[in-house]
Amino acid sequence: MKIPYKTYLTEEQLPKQWLNIRAFMKEKPAAMIVPSTGKEAGFDDLTPVFCDELVRQELDNTTPYIDIPKEILEYYKMYRPSPLVRAYQLEKALGTPAKIYYKFEGNNTSGSHKLNSAAAQVYYAKQQGLTSLTTETGAGQWGTALSMACAFFEVDLDVYMVKVSYEQKPYRKAVMQTYGADVIPSPSDSTQVGRAILAEHPGTGGSLGCAISEAVEKAVQTDKCRYVLGSVLNQVVLHQSVIGLETKTAMDMLGEYPDLVIGCAGGGSNLGGLVSAYMKDKLTGEGDAHFVAIEPASCPSLTRGKFAYDFCDTGRITPLAKMYTLGSGFMPAPNHAGGLRYHGMSPVLSTLYDGGFMEARSVEQTAVFEAATLFAKYETILPAPESAHAIRVAIDEALACKESGEEKTILFGLTGTGYFDMKAYMSYHNGEMRDYVPTDAELEEGFASLPNVEALGQSAAV
Amino acid sequence: MKIPYKTYLTEEQLPKQWLNIRAFMKEKPAAMIVPSTGKEAGFDDLTPVFCDELVRQELDNTTPYIDIPKEILEYYKMYRPSPLVRAYQLEKALGTPAKIYYKFEGNNTSGSHKLNSAAAQVYYAKQQGLTSLTTETGAGQWGTALSMACAFFEVDLDVYMVKVSYEQKPYRKAVMQTYGADVIPSPSDSTQVGRAILAEHPGTGGSLGCAISEAVEKAVQTDKCRYVLGSVLNQVVLHQSVIGLETKTAMDMLGEYPDLVIGCAGGGSNLGGLVSAYMKDKLTGEGDAHFVAIEPASCPSLTRGKFAYDFCDTGRITPLAKMYTLGSGFMPAPNHAGGLRYHGMSPVLSTLYDGGFMEARSVEQTAVFEAATLFAKYETILPAPESAHAIRVAIDEALACKESGEEKTILFGLTGTGYFDMKAYMSYHNGEMRDYVPTDAELEEGFASLPNVEALGQSAAV
């Protein structure tokens, strides 16, 4: 059988259930902790912030498959299946005996895989009778995806966008506004935390941590409103399992099983989804793919972080999650391009990594953009900088196969497109892009922000 | 049979030949005329400017199907087939009994259908042993598509980009540069015509006409170099027939035949391609779809233009084509957003329109962006402003069906995405977008620039 460039599933072949990888893990991700009490976060602790059904999914470590509601399936059908692509031209250009496949999630207007979870989260909010949602966005992919889903399901949306991004990426903002979202530069005077920060630092460009704090504050103080998050959480990894399920169905049709599965990792939403079906195989002994998480050298939570309880936000108002983290006080270098700049990592992936089920590597950004440019030339797709982290390692592995003569089957996740990242491409093109690797001392500063879990709740108890 | 949201052909079902609609036309498009002689342009007149094989295709009015070379087919397989989409959610939102289908050509990095002809033109240039090409670009879709194809086939490319676009769309420029193209703001000092214009108008923002003149001059004065054009020409309509051929194969699979086929029309590259298979049916009596060309009210070449010989460029250095035209001296209002601002129209489409095989309508841009925003909400795709012209009329027709109760099958061409047009979306969103319809007096000024064909060559002969 001649394997085509692109394999699309039919509508009938689309997954009708999400795969909950936690159900197959012997070592489960640790429960979240409520900072004010130091106790495990239960349903009632989380529902003031998140939708009820999403909290149920967040806490469910045992149900192996969860039905995708019909309305979400209908939404998925508008932009899914995404193609599984055989990179014939890239293989030829590299002269590698390896077979390279990628799952391309960028063919929807959000430009990334983020829409898979946005559609689900907004649907559940609508079902619960909520009328509005809040979130934060940095690079803008999540904000765009959420705006699209909110427009469709007719739920109002406030997006707190890091002020420096708001000013530097007016077109991202414009896409969200076209989809009806209210985009607010953060810090703003619409929240207490925003006003306090503005009073102290009038000229600040903001941070993701501050934007999260504002979005959470706005959500809990608004009637029929909740906060939503596009990565890190267990529920997000659950929704993103459609990527991996579709991939495996398509690969099975082609008679292929990957030796290597490579994905970029920031908060873990893409990688968690991409690996889902093959990781299940590994956990159940039905398969033995090798998984590689790729992170930026400038924000190396898996490769140089600590496995510890930490806040999910820099503002330290969220529950604590046990994850690989650089400390919520860690800030990646300002010259870092694109996303993947989160201090922590999905507890699911952190636990799998800690258990030895996954490898992690870090790459530097000029090498990433070199790979992106080569990929664009031979595969016609201009990748998102985030996705290009995975491309870099897929190319390196394919070149290693050229040396060794191995005919490995390499699968990587192409999470999105770079149309709104041209500033970074220009900086690479002009030779102005710089690499940055934090020193050990800088990492220590970040680790110093890690909370003392033992002490939590004690002051409250006094 | 339940019709899916998206229908993809398999790789084997992709067209292996282009459809040459001219072979089925009783009234053929008129031959081009060489301005210096007033005589019909033959092979030798055109090959100094265009590749040999492309000139053959340009002049071939009789071969019904032309084989697509294997290398171009392989390139097409990287981003084709494009999906045929059933707009279920839009239908539901409109409450129409009509069935709405669209062929979506925006899922490739050029963001439009332009890549179909770019790949073909660059391949033939490479085959002929050329080492470089020149072209012009305004909005940037054609320049991007050509940059992608030139990178892949390793042919150098100079893109003369209208200076005002060059300055206003730095990210379009950056995409082209990422694909290795040399992007030159026009007018430039790299050509005689550019230097002359700069000397006369030092502060000019340039025009498409000037950019064409520079690109042609550079091509004819450079060794192993030719000029390429992304619309208007017969060869381009030929290459774009893949859109219509794929559409008909997919519609046939679904048991559907369109009552209405709607496409936006600037130079005619998209519409000429979209209608190909169904127009052949109409010309041979095998089908009777109704075709509607949609143009901007600000640049109404079919609805208010003249069917006459005219220059293809404002600089008046190209051969003359017989087409519907507003005169090469006509300039659309500066507040016109997006493409579709060409003074003329493909001779193939002009001839079909003149023969009564096609209807034409014009629409105003605020109504176009209103339709674009509605479409984005329900169909998740942010359309290019050009494509949204077709959306406007598709929606209007669907609403008319709601009134009449007719269950028409409406097919329209969604040529591309609007990711690089956010400035126009912002202007619509902010209420700053204005409509503009040229007065009869303004049109008369344009018509005054039409050449006197009788007089051509006489001064040379004296």
Side-chain angles (χ1 to χ4, degrees):
Chain A
M1 176 182 146
K2 164 79 166 67
I3 288 174
Y5 278 78
K6 293 159 86 177
T7 302
Y8 283 103
L9 304 184
T10 66
E11 209 165 81
E12 290 72 38
Q13 290 175 304
L14 290 181
K16 290 170 188 62
Q17 298 182 306
W18 291 301
L19 189 164
N20 185 5
I21 195 67
R22 287 167 283 163
F24 301 92
M25 294 164 67
K26 275 185 197 146
E27 186 77 33
K28 309 288 185 190
M32 285 197 272
I33 284 179
V34 179
S36 60
T37 64
K39 299 221 167 74
E40 285 192 5
F43 184 80
D44 293 338
D45 298 307
L46 297 173
T47 49
V49 177
F50 300 108
C51 298
D52 295 359
E53 187 57 33
L54 293 168
V55 172
R56 277 182 209 107
Q57 294 180 354
E58 191 65 27
L59 298 175
D60 185 344
N61 285 343
T62 55
T63 310
Y65 292 94
I66 293 175
D67 285 347
I68 305 175
K70 190 178 141 285
E71 292 81 356
I72 300 175
L73 270 180
E74 290 297 305
Y75 192 89
Y76 281 176
K77 286 176 188 171
M78 282 198 282
Y79 71 97
R80 306 200 69 81
S82 69
L84 175 74
V85 188
R86 173 78 184 267
Y88 279 119
Q89 300 292 349
L90 181 63
E91 290 172 16
K92 199 167 127 190
L94 298 175
T96 179
K99 288 185 280 188
I100 306 176
Y101 289 92
Y102 57 91
K103 179 72 168 167
F104 181 40
E105 291 288 314
N107 266 351
N108 73 75
T109 286
S110 83
S112 81
H113 64 292
K114 296 279 186 185
L115 197 51
N116 301 328
S117 187
Q121 295 195 42
V122 177
Y123 167 76
Y124 288 121
K126 183 78 177 180
Q127 282 301 101
Q128 194 176 325
L130 304 180
T131 53
S132 67
L133 292 170
T134 71
T135 199
E136 76 292 326
T137 202
Q141 290 174 336
W142 169 246
T144 307
L146 198 64
S147 302
M148 292 169 67
C150 280
F152 184 82
F153 289 108
E154 301 190 329
V155 172
D156 290 342
L157 175 64
D158 282 344
V159 180
Y160 287 87
M161 188 170 186
V162 177
K163 192 185 271 177
V164 63
S165 293
Y166 181 92
E167 284 161 2
Q168 285 181 0
K169 292 195 163 191
Y171 296 154
R172 265 288 182 203
K173 177 184 70 183
V175 180
M176 291 185 260
Q177 288 173 334
T178 297
Y179 279 99
D182 205 351
V183 186
I184 304 136
S186 168
S188 75
D189 60 7
S190 72
T191 64
Q192 208 170 338
V193 64
R195 286 188 295 271
I197 292 173
L198 279 175
E200 200 175 339
H201 310 283
T204 180
S207 71
L208 205 57
C210 168
I212 295 178
S213 306
E214 286 201 87
V216 172
E217 180 187 323
K218 179 71 184 283
V220 298
Q221 294 186 354
T222 306
D223 194 37
K224 296 191 180 177
C225 182
R226 292 293 184 282
Y227 166 72
V228 291
L229 180 62
S231 194
V232 186
L233 299 175
N234 299 339
Q235 59 187 266
V236 175
V237 172
L238 174 74
H239 304 149
Q240 295 295 357
S241 68
V242 293
I243 304 172
L245 290 165
E246 275 188 13
T247 302
K248 184 163 190 307
T249 304
M251 290 285 275
D252 286 350
M253 283 164 60
L254 305 177
E256 294 279 26
Y257 202 96
D259 298 303
L260 276 174
V261 181
I262 300 167
C264 62
S269 70
N270 154 65
L271 184 66
L274 176 70
V275 304
S276 60
Y278 291 117
M279 185 61 84
K280 182 212 136 203
D281 281 2
K282 191 168 188 114
L283 294 170
T284 58
E286 292 166 53
D288 194 24
H290 182 74
F291 303 95
V292 194
I294 316 300
E295 55 186 16
S298 56
C299 194
S301 51
L302 285 173
T303 49
R304 297 175 71 195
K306 292 190 174 173
F307 192 36
Y309 269 105
D310 194 9
F311 289 97
C312 297
D313 66 323
T314 322
R316 303 167 72 93
I317 63 171
T318 63
L320 305 175
K322 191 174 178 195
M323 56 185 177
Y324 274 85
T325 178
L326 298 165
S328 64
F330 177 82
M331 287 293 290
N335 71 356
H336 172 95
L340 309 181
R341 51 191 300 141
Y342 186 64
H343 67 275
M345 179 60 63
S346 143
V348 170
L349 291 180
S350 294
T351 307
L352 288 167
Y353 178 62
D354 190 59
F357 295 99
M358 202 169 72
E359 184 197 345
R361 299 184 202 169
S362 72
V363 289
E364 299 191 24
Q365 68 178 357
T366 52
V368 163
F369 276 82
E370 182 195 34
T373 305
L374 187 79
F375 183 83
K377 174 175 175 179
Y378 289 110
E379 293 294 317
T380 77
I381 298 167
L382 189 82
E386 296 83 6
S387 323
H389 286 68
I391 297 174
R392 173 74 269 167
V393 173
I395 288 176
D396 291 344
E397 287 289 335
L399 291 173
C401 286
K402 187 178 179 178
E403 288 295 309
S404 68
E406 282 177 287
E407 297 181 13
K408 282 188 186 168
T409 300
I410 299 171
L411 166 69
F412 73 89
L414 189 68
T415 56
T417 50
Y419 307 140
F420 291 94
D421 299 284
M422 294 318 301
K423 206 167 164 160
Y425 272 98
M426 284 167 84
S427 133
Y428 172 73
H429 184 79
N430 298 335
E432 290 162 6
M433 179 170 278
R434 297 286 169 266
D435 287 327
Y436 184 75
V437 181
T439 62
D440 287 343
E442 282 165 326
L443 292 188
E444 285 305 325
E445 276 184 52
F447 296 143
S449 70
L450 285 171
N452 180 350
V453 181
E454 303 298 317
L456 287 173
Q458 291 185 357
S459 57
V462 172
Chain B
M1 177 183 145
K2 165 79 167 66
I3 288 173
Y5 279 78
K6 293 159 87 176
T7 302
Y8 284 103
L9 305 184
T10 65
E11 208 166 81
E12 290 71 39
Q13 289 175 304
L14 290 182
K16 290 171 187 63
Q17 298 182 306
W18 290 302
L19 189 164
N20 185 5
I21 196 68
R22 287 166 284 162
F24 300 91
M25 295 164 66
K26 276 185 193 144
E27 187 76 32
K28 308 288 185 191
M32 285 196 272
I33 283 179
V34 179
S36 61
T37 64
K39 301 223 166 74
E40 285 192 6
F43 184 80
D44 293 339
D45 297 307
L46 297 173
T47 49
V49 177
F50 300 108
C51 298
D52 295 0
E53 186 57 31
L54 292 169
V55 172
R56 276 182 210 107
Q57 294 181 353
E58 191 65 27
L59 299 174
D60 185 343
N61 284 344
T62 55
T63 310
Y65 293 94
I66 293 175
D67 285 346
I68 306 175
K70 188 177 142 287
E71 292 82 355
I72 300 174
L73 270 181
E74 289 298 306
Y75 192 89
Y76 280 175
K77 285 175 189 171
M78 282 198 283
Y79 71 97
R80 306 200 69 81
S82 69
L84 175 73
V85 187
R86 174 77 183 268
Y88 279 118
Q89 300 292 349
L90 181 64
E91 289 172 17
K92 198 167 128 190
L94 298 174
T96 178
K99 289 185 278 188
I100 306 176
Y101 289 92
Y102 56 92
K103 178 73 167 168
F104 181 39
E105 291 288 315
N107 266 351
N108 73 77
T109 287
S110 82
S112 80
H113 64 291
K114 295 280 185 183
L115 196 52
N116 301 328
S117 187
Q121 295 195 42
V122 176
Y123 167 76
Y124 288 122
K126 183 78 177 181
Q127 282 302 100
Q128 195 177 323
L130 304 181
T131 53
S132 67
L133 291 171
T134 70
T135 199
E136 76 292 326
T137 203
Q141 290 174 336
W142 169 245
T144 307
L146 199 64
S147 302
M148 292 170 66
C150 280
F152 184 83
F153 289 110
E154 301 190 330
V155 172
D156 289 342
L157 174 65
D158 283 343
V159 180
Y160 287 88
M161 189 171 186
V162 177
K163 191 184 273 178
V164 62
S165 292
Y166 181 92
E167 285 161 2
Q168 285 181 0
K169 293 196 163 192
Y171 296 154
R172 265 289 181 202
K173 177 184 71 184
V175 180
M176 292 185 260
Q177 288 173 334
T178 297
Y179 279 99
D182 206 351
V183 186
I184 304 136
S186 168
S188 74
D189 59 7
S190 72
T191 65
Q192 208 170 338
V193 64
R195 286 188 296 270
I197 292 171
L198 280 176
E200 202 174 338
H201 310 284
T204 180
S207 72
L208 205 57
C210 169
I212 295 178
S213 306
E214 286 201 88
V216 172
E217 180 187 323
K218 179 70 185 284
V220 298
Q221 292 187 356
T222 306
D223 195 35
K224 296 191 178 176
C225 182
R226 293 291 184 283
Y227 166 73
V228 291
L229 181 62
S231 192
V232 186
L233 299 174
N234 299 339
Q235 60 188 264
V236 175
V237 172
L238 174 73
H239 305 149
Q240 295 295 358
S241 68
V242 293
I243 304 172
L245 290 165
E246 274 189 15
T247 302
K248 185 163 189 311
T249 304
M251 290 285 274
D252 286 351
M253 283 163 60
L254 305 178
E256 293 279 27
Y257 200 96
D259 297 303
L260 276 174
V261 181
I262 300 168
C264 63
S269 70
N270 154 65
L271 184 65
L274 177 70
V275 304
S276 61
Y278 290 118
M279 184 61 83
K280 182 212 138 203
D281 280 2
K282 191 168 188 116
L283 293 169
T284 58
E286 292 166 55
D288 193 24
H290 182 72
F291 302 95
V292 194
I294 316 300
E295 53 186 17
S298 56
C299 194
S301 52
L302 286 172
T303 50
R304 296 176 71 194
K306 293 191 172 170
F307 192 35
Y309 268 106
D310 194 8
F311 289 96
C312 298
D313 67 323
T314 323
R316 302 166 74 92
I317 64 172
T318 63
L320 305 174
K322 191 173 177 196
M323 57 185 176
Y324 274 85
T325 177
L326 298 165
S328 63
F330 177 83
M331 288 294 288
N335 72 355
H336 171 95
L340 309 181
R341 52 191 301 142
Y342 187 65
H343 67 276
M345 179 58 65
S346 143
V348 170
L349 290 180
S350 293
T351 307
L352 288 166
Y353 178 63
D354 190 58
F357 295 98
M358 202 168 72
E359 185 197 344
R361 299 184 203 170
S362 71
V363 289
E364 299 191 26
Q365 67 180 357
T366 51
V368 163
F369 276 82
E370 183 195 34
T373 305
L374 187 78
F375 182 84
K377 174 176 175 178
Y378 289 110
E379 294 293 317
T380 76
I381 298 169
L382 189 82
E386 297 83 5
S387 324
H389 286 69
I391 296 173
R392 173 73 269 167
V393 174
I395 288 176
D396 291 345
E397 287 289 335
L399 291 174
C401 287
K402 188 178 178 178
E403 288 294 310
S404 68
E406 283 177 287
E407 296 181 13
K408 282 187 186 169
T409 300
I410 299 171
L411 167 70
F412 73 89
L414 189 68
T415 56
T417 50
Y419 307 140
F420 291 95
D421 300 283
M422 292 320 300
K423 206 167 165 161
Y425 272 98
M426 284 167 84
S427 132
Y428 172 72
H429 185 79
N430 298 333
E432 291 162 5
M433 179 170 277
R434 296 287 168 267
D435 288 327
Y436 185 75
V437 180
T439 63
D440 287 342
E442 282 165 325
L443 291 187
E444 284 306 324
E445 276 184 51
F447 295 143
S449 71
L450 285 170
N452 179 350
V453 180
E454 303 297 317
L456 287 173
Q458 292 185 359
S459 58
V462 172

